[in-house]
Amino acid sequence: MKLWSETFRGGGLMPADYAFAEIDPASRVRLAGNRNPHLAWDEVPNGTESLALFCIDPDAPQDASLANRDDQSLPLTAPRGDFYHWSLLDLPPAMRAIAAGEFSSGITPRGKAAGTGTGPRQGINDYTGWFAGDPDMAGDYYGYDGPCPPWNDERIHHYIFRLYALDVPRLALDERFTGQQAHAALYGHILDEAQLVVAYSLKPELALTLKK
């Protein structure tokens, strides 16, 4: 399969309108447009029964206490792990594109609600855990919520958009599922896959290098 975007080029910079937060010269960061990017694909293999899409940040710090601190930077060597920003399942095999802003436009405190009906399903993303202790933001964050890497992080974060062609029309998952659970449910059903990687940073000096 081939996967591409009109929102960003592979290996390039994610525009701030598609992130959860953007740089603010006065207050370090502010909330951003949080739109899902445009994505399109082709060369879906014969026998595909559904498509599944994920957005994962593999550069997320494992220790959240190091993030966004005035007294220190988050070092390159800090342990990292996956942060799921989006899991979108049961896309019909004839589908070939997702429009910018189709599944997310703006930030919803306490998270967007789960979809209803028999169409594509969206899992809860990892902002659900990130905001669990914040009384103003805690909730189940379904669907897409974009990049918000720590503003003190010395590492540029990368966001992997990965599309899978599957041999089943619907994955066996509970109504409320995480990106990790959805990813695990794929195995044994993958016919093909394609991915795009885009970068983002809220540390001004790193963001400047991405713009070059």
Side-chain angles (χ1 to χ4, degrees):
M1 291 193 298
K2 292 182 180 179
L3 177 66
W4 69 93
S5 177
E6 294 174 356
T7 299
F8 57 83
R9 62 176 178 81
L13 171 68
M14 175 72 88
D17 196 38
Y18 300 85
F20 195 91
E22 62 184 328
I23 294 170
D24 186 315
S27 60
R28 287 204 175 90
V29 298
R30 61 185 174 225
L31 298 180
N34 201 42
R35 303 176 72 212
N36 71 269
H38 164 271
L39 293 163
W41 54 89
D42 61 14
E43 300 184 11
V44 175
N46 293 333
T48 298
E49 295 289 332
S50 69
L51 300 160
L53 177 68
F54 294 83
C55 176
I56 304 168
D57 171 9
D59 299 308
Q62 298 274 30
D63 184 354
S65 70
L66 300 175
N68 302 324
R69 290 178 53 165
D70 286 309
D71 61 333
Q72 68 177 72
S73 292
L74 203 165
L76 285 169
T77 55
R80 308 290 171 150
D82 290 340
F83 189 104
Y84 282 76
H85 286 264
W86 199 9
S87 53
L88 177 60
L89 307 183
D90 309 335
L91 295 169
M95 189 173 182
R96 290 294 181 270
I98 291 170
E102 181 176 352
F103 286 91
S104 178
S105 184
I107 290 167
T108 304
R110 301 184 179 278
K112 293 183 284 294
T116 58
T118 58
R121 292 179 292 164
Q122 299 191 91
I124 57 169
N125 64 53
D126 284 346
Y127 284 111
T128 300
W130 184 264
F131 287 127
D134 184 334
D136 296 321
M137 296 292 283
D140 279 348
Y141 282 73
Y142 283 89
Y144 177 82
D145 286 296
C148 186
W151 50 257
N152 66 334
D153 202 341
E154 297 292 343
R155 180 178 294 199
I156 293 170
H157 285 231
H158 298 85
Y159 299 84
I160 302 170
F161 289 85
R162 186 175 291 140
L163 183 72
Y164 294 93
L166 305 178
D167 65 2
V168 290
R170 187 175 175 88
L171 290 169
L173 289 161
D174 293 335
E175 182 178 344
R176 182 186 187 274
F177 61 87
T178 67
Q180 292 89 339
Q181 290 168 336
H183 215 171
L186 299 179
Y187 290 98
H189 299 295
I190 299 169
L191 299 175
D192 200 0
E193 63 186 83
Q195 73 176 35
L196 280 173
V197 182
V198 64
Y200 196 71
S201 176
L202 291 174
K203 195 173 180 65
E205 53 267 41
L206 291 183
L208 284 174
T209 66
L210 289 173
K211 292 179 180 180
K212 292 180 180 177

